[in-house]
Amino acid sequence: MSRVCGHKTMPPSVWALPPGQRRTLLKHIIVNEKYKFLYCYVPKVACSNWKRVLKVLDGSLESLDSRLKMDHQKDLVFLSDLSVEQIKHRLRHYYKFLFVREPLERLLSAYRNKFGEIKEYQQRYGLEIVRRYRQDSAASKGDDVTFSEFLRYLLDEDVEKMNEHWMPIYNLCQPCAVPYDFIGSYERLGEDANHVLEAVSAPSYIRFPERQAWYKPVTQETFRYFLCNTPQGLVRELLPKYIMDYSLFAYTLPNITSEYCRQ
């Protein structure tokens, strides 16, 4: 990270970011005043459970076992809600963390969830994607978007205007402009979450929630299946849009060779 972020073209601080990028960042950093920490949330990287933890810590939610549907805005304070001086103080003095995930696996998780389960996304994005990339789109209700069509859509999208569920982590959390104290990973979620809870002196009874029983994780087999059934050229074309996430967080570029897919 220090090598990539040390390049002269990288923003040295939040205030060096263009206004649009700074707005996106400040809207994604949640403030906990009681335990004095900042959490940059990344959709599809356990952010619902982290928001649950924050609500329990500040007393707006009774239990981590709550079965109520998560309200992603209610009872949460974001840096974008504060004045410039308040933001500067918290960036300087509060513990700061975020969690990351293999970029293409995160995209696959968003694809399966949003287009497979959520009508709002099927109608808002699915119909548009099918209209753009399928010759015969009239019969579609937006719930049958293929992974290849989704990736084509991302390839044509302006990164800074993307929906947060597939915007690169770099653009959401600006890890070169914000000196995070800890960057955890989805791959070591339990261990890294416990580290953060200890670091912010959370009460010992607070434990990061287990994955919900209904949740369908992206297994290595599922990930491989989708990668190997997507045109290699399409994946290669898309990777530059997510290359900062691969570079900064030390993820290996996906193996999409014919040899790997034949195994």
Side-chain angles (χ1 to χ4, degrees):
M1 276 190 68
S2 57
R3 180 179 58 80
V4 177
C5 292
H7 196 274
K8 62 184 179 183
T9 60
M10 303 305 285
S13 76
V14 170
W15 311 106
L17 292 167
Q21 292 181 19
R22 185 163 61 244
R23 265 195 306 276
T24 296
L25 170 68
L26 297 181
K27 284 195 300 187
H28 281 84
I29 296 184
I30 305 174
V31 184
N32 182 281
E33 295 294 356
K34 189 174 181 181
Y35 293 92
K36 294 187 166 36
F37 67 78
L38 303 177
Y39 161 55
C40 187
Y41 79 89
V42 178
K44 308 315 298 177
V45 191
C47 79
S48 294
N49 275 342
W50 268 117
K51 287 176 181 178
R52 239 177 226 107
V53 169
L54 266 75
K55 291 185 181 195
V56 169
L57 285 174
D58 70 18
S60 61
L61 188 67
E62 276 187 32
S63 165
L64 289 169
D65 301 324
S66 172
R67 305 215 177 270
L68 295 173
K69 183 173 167 59
M70 168 60 61
D71 186 319
H72 288 269
Q73 301 292 321
K74 188 182 177 188
D75 299 319
L76 294 171
V77 176
F78 298 83
L79 275 185
S80 55
D81 299 325
L82 307 180
S83 70
V84 169
E85 286 310 311
Q86 290 171 324
I87 292 169
K88 286 181 176 176
H89 174 80
R90 283 153 185 76
L91 285 171
R92 198 174 298 124
H93 298 291
Y94 284 22
Y95 183 85
K96 299 170 285 297
F97 71 95
L98 78 147
F99 273 71
V100 301
R101 184 177 187 177
E102 203 285 338
L104 272 179
E105 186 185 302
R106 177 175 164 248
L107 291 183
L108 178 55
S109 178
Y111 162 76
R112 291 172 81 210
N113 172 233
K114 300 307 174 193
F115 298 107
E117 300 171 13
I118 301 180
K119 200 160 207 164
E120 179 194 341
Y121 275 77
Q122 294 166 3
Q123 292 177 342
R124 183 174 174 187
Y125 295 98
L127 288 172
E128 171 65 14
I129 291 171
V130 169
R131 186 188 64 75
R132 279 200 213 175
Y133 304 106
R134 197 180 298 174
Q135 283 187 329
D136 182 16
S137 60
S140 176
K141 295 178 182 176
D143 58 353
D144 60 347
V145 174
T146 67
F147 190 53
S148 294
E149 288 170 338
F150 175 55
L151 296 190
R152 282 199 179 90
Y153 168 72
L154 296 181
L155 191 56
D156 291 339
E157 279 292 278
D158 178 344
V159 164
E160 290 179 26
K161 294 177 181 173
M162 282 182 176
N163 179 282
E164 62 175 14
H165 289 85
W166 42 82
M167 183 182 279
I169 299 170
Y170 172 79
N171 296 77
L172 291 172
C173 293
Q174 297 290 346
C176 292
V178 178
Y180 289 99
D181 297 287
F182 185 74
I183 297 179
S185 79
Y186 189 79
E187 294 77 17
R188 297 186 305 271
L189 182 57
E191 180 186 337
D192 286 356
N194 287 335
H195 172 85
V196 168
L197 291 171
E198 283 180 30
V200 301
S201 302
S204 57
Y205 64 85
I206 300 285
R207 280 285 168 262
F208 196 76
E210 294 289 321
R211 182 182 284 151
Q212 289 91 341
W214 49 262
Y215 183 75
K216 298 174 189 165
V218 174
T219 64
Q220 282 307 303
E221 292 75 19
T222 308
F223 187 43
R224 179 180 175 145
Y225 172 82
F226 275 90
L227 269 189
C228 290
N229 285 279
T230 300
Q232 290 181 16
L234 180 57
V235 176
R236 269 195 287 271
E237 275 188 88
L238 184 66
L239 284 176
K241 283 202 165 174
Y242 294 87
I243 200 65
M244 287 299 289
D245 288 359
Y246 279 101
S247 303
L248 286 165
F249 311 128
Y251 284 107
T252 305
L253 289 173
N255 187 349
I256 51 171
T257 60
S258 302
E259 291 78 10
Y260 169 76
C261 290
R262 275 199 301 265
Q263 288 172 12

